[in-house]
C-alpha cells in the first residue's frame, strides 16, 4: 500500500498503458487493460448492489463513489473471459473520503464462481492509496475471470469511498 498523487501514479510505469488505452488500441487480452479511469471504459460495466455513482469529481479525478451497506458487493465486469496468466498485477487507487477506515475484500470471479483467495483494501481518510495486487495472491493461476469484486465483509455499513484507475497489467 503506497500513498500517492495522480502525477505519481502516472509516473510510476502506468503512463504507457493508459496512453495505449486512451488512444483506443483494442486488445482482447494480454495487458495492460483499463477497466476504469475517470469513467468506465469500453467493454466494462459496473455491477453489484452497493450504491455507486461513476465519475464523481474529487480533487483532479473522477472516480466512482461507492457506498456499501452491510455485506454489499461492488463489481467491475466485462463480457470477456480474461486469462489469469495474461496479467501479473491488478492496480487500483482507493480514496477513503472524509472519514476513511473502510475495509473491503478484493477478489476475482468468473460468472458467479468466486476464487477463494482475497486481499483486503483499506481506505485512508482524505488520501489516495495505490494498491498493486499480484494476481498470484488472488489464486487465479491458470484460470479465467470476468469480474473484479469489492465486498464489504462486515455487518456494518461503510462510509462512502472512491475507486479510480483500475488496470490489469
Amino acid at each position: 500500500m503506497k500513498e500517492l498523487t495522480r502525477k505519481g501514479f502516472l509516473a510510476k510505469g502506468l503512463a504507457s498503458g493508459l496512453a495505449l488505452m486512451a488512444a483506443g488500441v483494442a486488445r482482447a487480452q494480454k495487458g495492460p487493460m483499463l477497466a476504469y479511469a475517470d469513467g468506465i471504459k469500453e467493454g466494462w460495466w459496473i455491477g453489484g448492489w452497493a450504491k455507486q455513482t461513476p465519475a464523481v469529481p474529487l480533487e483532479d479525478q473522477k472516480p466512482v463513489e461507492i457506498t456499501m451497506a452491510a455485506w454489499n458487493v461492488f463489481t467491475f465486469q466485462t463480457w470477456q473471459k480474461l486469462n489469469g496468466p495474461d496479467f501479473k498485477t491488478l492496480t487500483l487507487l482507493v480514496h477513503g473520503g472524509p472519514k476513511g477506515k473502510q475495509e473491503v475484500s478484493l477478489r476475482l470471479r468468473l460468472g458467479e464462481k468466486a476464487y477463494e483467495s482475497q486481499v483486503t483494501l483499506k481506505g485512508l481518510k482524505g488520501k489516495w492509496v495505490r494498491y498493486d495486487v499480484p494476481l498470484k495472491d488472488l489464486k487465479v493461476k491458470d484460470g479465467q475471470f470476468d469480474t473484479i469484486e469489492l465486498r464489504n465483509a462486515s455487518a456494518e455499513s461503510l462510509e462512502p469511498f472512491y475507486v479510480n484507475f483500475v488496470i490489469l497489467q
Side-chain angles (χ1 to χ4, degrees):
M1 174 170 75
K2 303 174 204 161
E3 291 182 34
L4 105 146
T5 64
R6 180 180 182 141
K7 288 179 185 175
F9 176 75
L10 294 174
K12 299 259 184 197
L14 292 177
S16 62
L18 292 172
L20 281 174
M21 298 311 289
V25 176
R27 293 198 153 171
Q29 291 178 3
K30 299 213 184 234
M33 180 176 277
L34 194 57
Y36 190 97
D38 291 338
I40 199 75
K41 296 304 171 189
E42 186 176 342
W44 290 84
W45 69 91
I46 291 174
W49 53 89
K51 180 181 174 190
Q52 66 245 350
T53 307
V56 170
L58 179 66
E59 297 171 359
D60 62 343
Q61 299 186 38
K62 292 182 181 174
V64 58
E65 179 183 65
I66 305 167
T67 305
M68 291 184 162
W71 315 112
N72 272 191
V73 169
F74 171 86
T75 61
F76 293 103
Q77 297 173 262
T78 182
W79 56 270
Q80 301 179 66
K81 288 182 181 178
L82 304 174
N83 293 315
D86 289 349
F87 306 99
K88 293 190 182 332
T89 306
L90 170 60
T91 298
L92 61 159
L93 295 183
V94 176
H95 189 289
K99 295 192 177 180
K101 298 185 180 181
Q102 303 88 343
E103 285 193 20
V104 295
S105 298
L106 168 72
R107 67 182 182 174
L108 300 177
R109 293 189 341 222
L110 178 60
E112 294 302 314
K113 180 186 179 267
Y115 287 91
E116 294 297 320
S117 188
Q118 57 192 16
V119 173
T120 300
L121 307 180
K122 297 180 181 184
L124 296 182
K125 177 182 176 179
K127 294 184 182 180
W128 285 106
V129 178
R130 174 180 165 167
Y131 286 93
D132 294 303
V133 180
L135 259 60
K136 67 178 181 170
D137 291 356
L138 297 173
K139 307 285 190 234
V140 176
K141 294 184 184 175
D142 296 328
Q144 295 181 318
F145 63 97
D146 60 8
T147 303
I148 299 166
E149 177 186 278
L150 299 176
R151 175 180 295 273
N152 178 1
S154 77
E156 302 295 322
S157 294
L158 299 179
E159 291 293 326
F161 64 100
Y162 304 86
V163 175
N164 205 4
F165 292 105
V166 178
I167 186 168
L168 291 156
Q169 33 187 356

